[in-house]
Amino acid sequence: MASAALSAASGDQARTGKRRRGRLARRENLEGWLFAAPWIIGFLVFTLGPMVTSAVLAFAEWDIVNPPKWIGLGNVGRFVADESALHALRVTTQYAVVSVPLQIVLGLAIAMLLNGQIRGLRFYRTVYYLPAVLSGVAVALLWRWIFSKEFGLLNLGLYYLLGIQGPGWLTDPAWALWALILMSLWGVGGSMVIYLAGLQGIPTDFYEAAEVDGAGPVRRFFSITLPLLSPVLFFQLIMGIIRALQVFVQAFIMTDGGPADATLFFVLHLYRNAFLYFRMGYASLLAWVLFVYVLLLTLLVFRSSQAWVYYESEARGG
């Protein structure tokens, strides 16, 4: 009798404990969803929703005032015949092809210089990083003054230091795109911090073993630093391509796509169609063209990474 009562009480306690654990699990799930809700709502409203809407509008004609009109592949034909869009895609690609490698090389070079033990190291790291936190509009206005033909700091420096008469950086079609490429190097401090983290994550025993074998600084750089830093370079390459192909503020503020469409970037052409000509349907198609273009280039880089990206486990033979 006592044994049965004890067994029943034990069963009641087990059921009670199970119900409590169930309530606790449901409460934790609810709290988790509540914490994630702002991001989920923001993603649905500001990312997924606009993407779905633009995908539908890409096959329609809409001027904001009148209801959208379905035109099927009409916008695709307009894009194929739009010489300005194809020119803008070429200009954007040229900008990315030159600016991204320059940013990678310069950022890595600065990180290598600041990776040692030198006086004022924290100061130099802060100085190089500060430009990366400035807003795009402020930087564009600053560089528009620097590139001024008559009163710009760059041309004044060229004249007084080298006796060279500088060109009209933003008014000459031959120099305008190069000026924006030069300006893109202003923010390499952001990538420098990532390179520094990667450099400090390389085990020192690799360098010690290489020194014992008689490897010099150049050999150590190409045989140890670059291979083990390749995952960081891979990340920076992907992010650099994505950023470069979406460049907009510089051309919009400094040149408005000129002179002679020399800096007509693809996103600027998209902006004009959407908010100046009110061709929202065609602008939506342009957005998807850019998305597909970035996606294809990203996939190409991912495929190529198998040949040049190495990881520490592979270097250790793990």
mmCIF file of all heavy atoms in Angstrom, residues 124-156:
data_model
loop_
_atom_site.group_PDB
_atom_site.id
_atom_site.type_symbol
_atom_site.label_atom_id
_atom_site.label_comp_id
_atom_site.label_asym_id
_atom_site.label_seq_id
_atom_site.Cartn_x
_atom_site.Cartn_y
_atom_site.Cartn_z
ATOM 1 N N TYR A 124 48.571 55.251 -35.138
ATOM 2 C CA TYR A 124 48.560 55.060 -36.584
ATOM 3 C C TYR A 124 47.366 54.209 -37.025
ATOM 4 O O TYR A 124 46.738 54.474 -38.063
ATOM 5 C CB TYR A 124 49.868 54.404 -37.033
ATOM 6 C CG TYR A 124 51.056 55.319 -36.948
ATOM 7 C CD1 TYR A 124 52.147 55.008 -36.151
ATOM 8 C CD2 TYR A 124 51.081 56.515 -37.667
ATOM 9 C CE1 TYR A 124 53.240 55.852 -36.066
ATOM 10 C CE2 TYR A 124 52.177 57.371 -37.587
ATOM 11 C CZ TYR A 124 53.248 57.028 -36.784
ATOM 12 O OH TYR A 124 54.331 57.877 -36.699
ATOM 13 N N ARG A 125 47.053 53.186 -36.263
ATOM 14 C CA ARG A 125 45.899 52.360 -36.609
ATOM 15 C C ARG A 125 44.614 53.176 -36.571
ATOM 16 O O ARG A 125 43.749 53.036 -37.444
ATOM 17 C CB ARG A 125 45.801 51.172 -35.644
ATOM 18 C CG ARG A 125 46.878 50.124 -35.847
ATOM 19 C CD ARG A 125 46.750 48.999 -34.826
ATOM 20 N NE ARG A 125 47.760 47.963 -35.043
ATOM 21 C CZ ARG A 125 47.909 46.896 -34.267
ATOM 22 N NH1 ARG A 125 47.121 46.731 -33.213
ATOM 23 N NH2 ARG A 125 48.838 46.000 -34.531
ATOM 24 N N THR A 126 44.490 54.038 -35.576
ATOM 25 C CA THR A 126 43.297 54.881 -35.482
ATOM 26 C C THR A 126 43.222 55.860 -36.632
ATOM 27 O O THR A 126 42.153 56.061 -37.229
ATOM 28 C CB THR A 126 43.309 55.642 -34.139
ATOM 29 O OG1 THR A 126 43.391 54.715 -33.060
ATOM 30 C CG2 THR A 126 42.050 56.478 -33.998
ATOM 31 N N VAL A 127 44.358 56.475 -36.978
ATOM 32 C CA VAL A 127 44.383 57.454 -38.069
ATOM 33 C C VAL A 127 43.977 56.818 -39.382
ATOM 34 O O VAL A 127 43.190 57.377 -40.153
ATOM 35 C CB VAL A 127 45.787 58.086 -38.178
ATOM 36 C CG1 VAL A 127 45.928 58.872 -39.471
ATOM 37 C CG2 VAL A 127 46.041 58.992 -36.979
ATOM 38 N N TYR A 128 44.487 55.632 -39.664
ATOM 39 C CA TYR A 128 44.160 54.967 -40.924
ATOM 40 C C TYR A 128 42.716 54.464 -40.949
ATOM 41 O O TYR A 128 42.115 54.356 -42.018
ATOM 42 C CB TYR A 128 45.109 53.793 -41.165
ATOM 43 C CG TYR A 128 46.428 54.209 -41.753
ATOM 44 C CD1 TYR A 128 47.602 54.172 -40.992
ATOM 45 C CD2 TYR A 128 46.518 54.653 -43.070
ATOM 46 C CE1 TYR A 128 48.820 54.558 -41.525
ATOM 47 C CE2 TYR A 128 47.735 55.050 -43.610
ATOM 48 C CZ TYR A 128 48.876 55.003 -42.834
ATOM 49 O OH TYR A 128 50.074 55.395 -43.367
ATOM 50 N N TYR A 129 42.168 54.175 -39.774
ATOM 51 C CA TYR A 129 40.806 53.638 -39.740
ATOM 52 C C TYR A 129 39.740 54.729 -39.774
ATOM 53 O O TYR A 129 38.638 54.506 -40.288
ATOM 54 C CB TYR A 129 40.605 52.777 -38.483
ATOM 55 C CG TYR A 129 39.221 52.202 -38.378
ATOM 56 C CD1 TYR A 129 38.814 51.162 -39.203
ATOM 57 C CD2 TYR A 129 38.300 52.715 -37.457
ATOM 58 C CE1 TYR A 129 37.540 50.637 -39.120
ATOM 59 C CE2 TYR A 129 37.019 52.193 -37.361
ATOM 60 C CZ TYR A 129 36.646 51.152 -38.198
ATOM 61 O OH TYR A 129 35.385 50.640 -38.110
ATOM 62 N N LEU A 130 40.043 55.910 -39.261
ATOM 63 C CA LEU A 130 39.045 56.970 -39.132
ATOM 64 C C LEU A 130 38.308 57.295 -40.438
ATOM 65 O O LEU A 130 37.082 57.482 -40.424
ATOM 66 C CB LEU A 130 39.686 58.237 -38.563
ATOM 67 C CG LEU A 130 39.808 58.311 -37.043
ATOM 68 C CD1 LEU A 130 40.500 59.604 -36.632
ATOM 69 C CD2 LEU A 130 38.426 58.225 -36.391
ATOM 70 N N PRO A 131 38.976 57.406 -41.592
ATOM 71 C CA PRO A 131 38.233 57.730 -42.820
ATOM 72 C C PRO A 131 37.144 56.733 -43.163
ATOM 73 O O PRO A 131 36.160 57.088 -43.840
ATOM 74 C CB PRO A 131 39.332 57.728 -43.900
ATOM 75 C CG PRO A 131 40.586 58.035 -43.160
ATOM 76 C CD PRO A 131 40.422 57.365 -41.840
ATOM 77 N N ALA A 132 37.274 55.491 -42.693
ATOM 78 C CA ALA A 132 36.292 54.464 -43.031
ATOM 79 C C ALA A 132 34.951 54.689 -42.346
ATOM 80 O O ALA A 132 33.939 54.119 -42.766
ATOM 81 C CB ALA A 132 36.828 53.082 -42.666
ATOM 82 N N VAL A 133 34.921 55.518 -41.290
ATOM 83 C CA VAL A 133 33.671 55.721 -40.560
ATOM 84 C C VAL A 133 32.930 56.977 -41.011
ATOM 85 O O VAL A 133 31.835 57.251 -40.524
ATOM 86 C CB VAL A 133 33.930 55.796 -39.038
ATOM 87 C CG1 VAL A 133 34.622 54.538 -38.557
ATOM 88 C CG2 VAL A 133 34.753 57.025 -38.681
ATOM 89 N N LEU A 134 33.507 57.753 -41.928
ATOM 90 C CA LEU A 134 32.845 58.950 -42.410
ATOM 91 C C LEU A 134 31.756 58.596 -43.416
ATOM 92 O O LEU A 134 31.864 57.614 -44.143
ATOM 93 C CB LEU A 134 33.859 59.904 -43.046
ATOM 94 C CG LEU A 134 34.952 60.439 -42.133
ATOM 95 C CD1 LEU A 134 35.895 61.341 -42.902
ATOM 96 C CD2 LEU A 134 34.348 61.187 -40.953
ATOM 97 N N SER A 135 30.719 59.420 -43.480
ATOM 98 C CA SER A 135 29.609 59.150 -44.384
ATOM 99 C C SER A 135 30.001 59.420 -45.827
ATOM 100 O O SER A 135 30.905 60.204 -46.116
ATOM 101 C CB SER A 135 28.399 60.022 -44.013
ATOM 102 O OG SER A 135 28.684 61.389 -44.253
ATOM 103 N N GLY A 136 29.303 58.756 -46.754
ATOM 104 C CA GLY A 136 29.631 58.874 -48.162
ATOM 105 C C GLY A 136 29.471 60.269 -48.713
ATOM 106 O O GLY A 136 30.291 60.729 -49.521
ATOM 107 N N VAL A 137 28.416 60.991 -48.300
ATOM 108 C CA VAL A 137 28.164 62.339 -48.819
ATOM 109 C C VAL A 137 29.254 63.296 -48.374
ATOM 110 O O VAL A 137 29.766 64.097 -49.170
ATOM 111 C CB VAL A 137 26.779 62.832 -48.370
ATOM 112 C CG1 VAL A 137 26.570 64.277 -48.793
ATOM 113 C CG2 VAL A 137 25.683 61.943 -48.951
ATOM 114 N N ALA A 138 29.630 63.226 -47.091
ATOM 115 C CA ALA A 138 30.678 64.110 -46.581
ATOM 116 C C ALA A 138 32.003 63.850 -47.295
ATOM 117 O O ALA A 138 32.724 64.794 -47.666
ATOM 118 C CB ALA A 138 30.840 63.912 -45.072
ATOM 119 N N VAL A 139 32.320 62.604 -47.515
ATOM 120 C CA VAL A 139 33.560 62.257 -48.211
ATOM 121 C C VAL A 139 33.511 62.750 -49.658
ATOM 122 O O VAL A 139 34.498 63.267 -50.192
ATOM 123 C CB VAL A 139 33.784 60.736 -48.164
ATOM 124 C CG1 VAL A 139 34.963 60.336 -49.050
ATOM 125 C CG2 VAL A 139 34.032 60.286 -46.735
ATOM 126 N N ALA A 140 32.357 62.611 -50.308
ATOM 127 C CA ALA A 140 32.222 63.065 -51.699
ATOM 128 C C ALA A 140 32.417 64.574 -51.803
ATOM 129 O O ALA A 140 33.093 65.064 -52.719
ATOM 130 C CB ALA A 140 30.858 62.659 -52.250
ATOM 131 N N LEU A 141 31.848 65.323 -50.886
ATOM 132 C CA LEU A 141 32.018 66.780 -50.906
ATOM 133 C C LEU A 141 33.465 67.172 -50.645
ATOM 134 O O LEU A 141 33.991 68.108 -51.271
ATOM 135 C CB LEU A 141 31.098 67.414 -49.859
ATOM 136 C CG LEU A 141 29.589 67.306 -50.134
ATOM 137 C CD1 LEU A 141 28.794 67.834 -48.955
ATOM 138 C CD2 LEU A 141 29.222 68.054 -51.410
ATOM 139 N N LEU A 142 34.113 66.456 -49.727
ATOM 140 C CA LEU A 142 35.521 66.731 -49.439
ATOM 141 C C LEU A 142 36.387 66.487 -50.670
ATOM 142 O O LEU A 142 37.210 67.340 -51.045
ATOM 143 C CB LEU A 142 35.989 65.844 -48.276
ATOM 144 C CG LEU A 142 37.494 65.865 -47.974
ATOM 145 C CD1 LEU A 142 37.927 67.246 -47.506
ATOM 146 C CD2 LEU A 142 37.840 64.805 -46.928
ATOM 147 N N TRP A 143 36.178 65.358 -51.333
ATOM 148 C CA TRP A 143 37.000 65.027 -52.488
ATOM 149 C C TRP A 143 36.648 65.874 -53.717
ATOM 150 O O TRP A 143 37.500 66.073 -54.589
ATOM 151 C CB TRP A 143 36.877 63.540 -52.811
ATOM 152 C CG TRP A 143 37.771 62.718 -51.936
ATOM 153 C CD1 TRP A 143 37.459 62.163 -50.739
ATOM 154 C CD2 TRP A 143 39.136 62.382 -52.186
ATOM 155 N NE1 TRP A 143 38.534 61.498 -50.216
ATOM 156 C CE2 TRP A 143 39.585 61.615 -51.086
ATOM 157 C CE3 TRP A 143 40.019 62.646 -53.225
ATOM 158 C CZ2 TRP A 143 40.875 61.119 -51.014
ATOM 159 C CZ3 TRP A 143 41.311 62.142 -53.157
ATOM 160 C CH2 TRP A 143 41.721 61.402 -52.058
ATOM 161 N N ARG A 144 35.440 66.375 -53.796
ATOM 162 C CA ARG A 144 35.114 67.282 -54.895
ATOM 163 C C ARG A 144 35.944 68.559 -54.794
ATOM 164 O O ARG A 144 36.375 69.119 -55.808
ATOM 165 C CB ARG A 144 33.614 67.620 -54.877
ATOM 166 C CG ARG A 144 33.166 68.397 -56.118
ATOM 167 C CD ARG A 144 31.668 68.521 -56.173
ATOM 168 N NE ARG A 144 31.136 69.342 -55.098
ATOM 169 C CZ ARG A 144 29.846 69.666 -54.967
ATOM 170 N NH1 ARG A 144 28.969 69.205 -55.859
ATOM 171 N NH2 ARG A 144 29.439 70.406 -53.969
ATOM 172 N N TRP A 145 36.186 68.987 -53.577
ATOM 173 C CA TRP A 145 37.071 70.150 -53.384
ATOM 174 C C TRP A 145 38.523 69.767 -53.672
ATOM 175 O O TRP A 145 39.259 70.524 -54.312
ATOM 176 C CB TRP A 145 36.930 70.673 -51.959
ATOM 177 C CG TRP A 145 37.992 71.666 -51.613
ATOM 178 C CD1 TRP A 145 38.120 72.950 -52.084
ATOM 179 C CD2 TRP A 145 39.108 71.466 -50.733
ATOM 180 N NE1 TRP A 145 39.242 73.545 -51.553
ATOM 181 C CE2 TRP A 145 39.866 72.663 -50.718
ATOM 182 C CE3 TRP A 145 39.535 70.394 -49.959
ATOM 183 C CZ2 TRP A 145 41.017 72.799 -49.959
ATOM 184 C CZ3 TRP A 145 40.686 70.528 -49.197
ATOM 185 C CH2 TRP A 145 41.412 71.724 -49.202
ATOM 186 N N ILE A 146 38.971 68.610 -53.229
ATOM 187 C CA ILE A 146 40.349 68.180 -53.479
ATOM 188 C C ILE A 146 40.629 68.075 -54.972
ATOM 189 O O ILE A 146 41.706 68.450 -55.449
ATOM 190 C CB ILE A 146 40.622 66.827 -52.781
ATOM 191 C CG1 ILE A 146 40.589 66.999 -51.263
ATOM 192 C CG2 ILE A 146 41.957 66.236 -53.226
ATOM 193 C CD1 ILE A 146 40.731 65.709 -50.499
ATOM 194 N N PHE A 147 39.646 67.629 -55.760
ATOM 195 C CA PHE A 147 39.825 67.425 -57.192
ATOM 196 C C PHE A 147 39.545 68.682 -58.020
ATOM 197 O O PHE A 147 39.634 68.636 -59.252
ATOM 198 C CB PHE A 147 38.928 66.302 -57.695
ATOM 199 C CG PHE A 147 39.398 64.924 -57.321
ATOM 200 C CD1 PHE A 147 38.526 64.013 -56.761
ATOM 201 C CD2 PHE A 147 40.712 64.544 -57.533
ATOM 202 C CE1 PHE A 147 38.954 62.738 -56.426
ATOM 203 C CE2 PHE A 147 41.151 63.277 -57.194
ATOM 204 C CZ PHE A 147 40.270 62.363 -56.645
ATOM 205 N N SER A 148 39.204 69.786 -57.376
ATOM 206 C CA SER A 148 38.922 71.012 -58.118
ATOM 207 C C SER A 148 40.132 71.416 -58.959
ATOM 208 O O SER A 148 41.274 71.381 -58.483
ATOM 209 C CB SER A 148 38.566 72.147 -57.151
ATOM 210 O OG SER A 148 38.423 73.361 -57.838
ATOM 211 N N LYS A 149 39.887 71.797 -60.207
ATOM 212 C CA LYS A 149 40.989 72.108 -61.117
ATOM 213 C C LYS A 149 41.739 73.364 -60.703
ATOM 214 O O LYS A 149 42.969 73.408 -60.741
ATOM 215 C CB LYS A 149 40.456 72.273 -62.538
ATOM 216 C CG LYS A 149 41.552 72.513 -63.570
ATOM 217 C CD LYS A 149 40.998 72.584 -64.979
ATOM 218 C CE LYS A 149 42.114 72.799 -66.007
ATOM 219 N NZ LYS A 149 41.601 72.868 -67.394
ATOM 220 N N GLU A 150 41.034 74.416 -60.281
ATOM 221 C CA GLU A 150 41.681 75.687 -59.951
ATOM 222 C C GLU A 150 42.142 75.754 -58.501
ATOM 223 O O GLU A 150 43.236 76.236 -58.212
ATOM 224 C CB GLU A 150 40.728 76.858 -60.233
ATOM 225 C CG GLU A 150 40.438 77.088 -61.702
ATOM 226 C CD GLU A 150 39.374 76.152 -62.233
ATOM 227 O OE1 GLU A 150 38.721 75.491 -61.392
ATOM 228 O OE2 GLU A 150 39.190 76.071 -63.467
ATOM 229 N N PHE A 151 41.299 75.291 -57.571
ATOM 230 C CA PHE A 151 41.597 75.497 -56.157
ATOM 231 C C PHE A 151 41.772 74.191 -55.388
ATOM 232 O O PHE A 151 41.879 74.204 -54.170
ATOM 233 C CB PHE A 151 40.470 76.314 -55.498
ATOM 234 C CG PHE A 151 40.119 77.560 -56.253
ATOM 235 C CD1 PHE A 151 38.954 77.627 -57.016
ATOM 236 C CD2 PHE A 151 40.953 78.660 -56.217
ATOM 237 C CE1 PHE A 151 38.625 78.777 -57.712
ATOM 238 C CE2 PHE A 151 40.636 79.807 -56.917
ATOM 239 C CZ PHE A 151 39.470 79.869 -57.668
ATOM 240 N N GLY A 152 41.802 73.070 -56.088
ATOM 241 C CA GLY A 152 41.898 71.785 -55.414
ATOM 242 C C GLY A 152 43.256 71.526 -54.798
ATOM 243 O O GLY A 152 44.297 71.925 -55.335
ATOM 244 N N LEU A 153 43.251 70.850 -53.676
ATOM 245 C CA LEU A 153 44.492 70.551 -52.967
ATOM 246 C C LEU A 153 45.413 69.673 -53.806
ATOM 247 O O LEU A 153 46.642 69.841 -53.774
ATOM 248 C CB LEU A 153 44.162 69.859 -51.639
ATOM 249 C CG LEU A 153 45.319 69.585 -50.683
ATOM 250 C CD1 LEU A 153 45.950 70.885 -50.234
ATOM 251 C CD2 LEU A 153 44.835 68.782 -49.482
ATOM 252 N N LEU A 154 44.861 68.763 -54.578
ATOM 253 C CA LEU A 154 45.685 67.860 -55.366
ATOM 254 C C LEU A 154 46.455 68.600 -56.462
ATOM 255 O O LEU A 154 47.671 68.415 -56.607
ATOM 256 C CB LEU A 154 44.799 66.766 -55.986
ATOM 257 C CG LEU A 154 45.518 65.702 -56.821
ATOM 258 C CD1 LEU A 154 46.608 65.016 -56.003
ATOM 259 C CD2 LEU A 154 44.523 64.680 -57.345
ATOM 260 N N ASN A 155 45.768 69.438 -57.209
ATOM 261 C CA ASN A 155 46.454 70.170 -58.279
ATOM 262 C C ASN A 155 47.435 71.197 -57.728
ATOM 263 O O ASN A 155 48.496 71.442 -58.325
ATOM 264 C CB ASN A 155 45.427 70.860 -59.186
ATOM 265 C CG ASN A 155 44.851 69.900 -60.208
ATOM 266 O OD1 ASN A 155 45.280 68.760 -60.313
ATOM 267 N ND2 ASN A 155 43.870 70.355 -60.968
ATOM 268 N N LEU A 156 47.080 71.822 -56.603
ATOM 269 C CA LEU A 156 48.022 72.755 -55.982
ATOM 270 C C LEU A 156 49.294 72.036 -55.543
ATOM 271 O O LEU A 156 50.412 72.548 -55.708
ATOM 272 C CB LEU A 156 47.364 73.451 -54.788
ATOM 273 C CG LEU A 156 46.271 74.472 -55.111
ATOM 274 C CD1 LEU A 156 45.648 75.007 -53.828
ATOM 275 C CD2 LEU A 156 46.838 75.623 -55.943
#
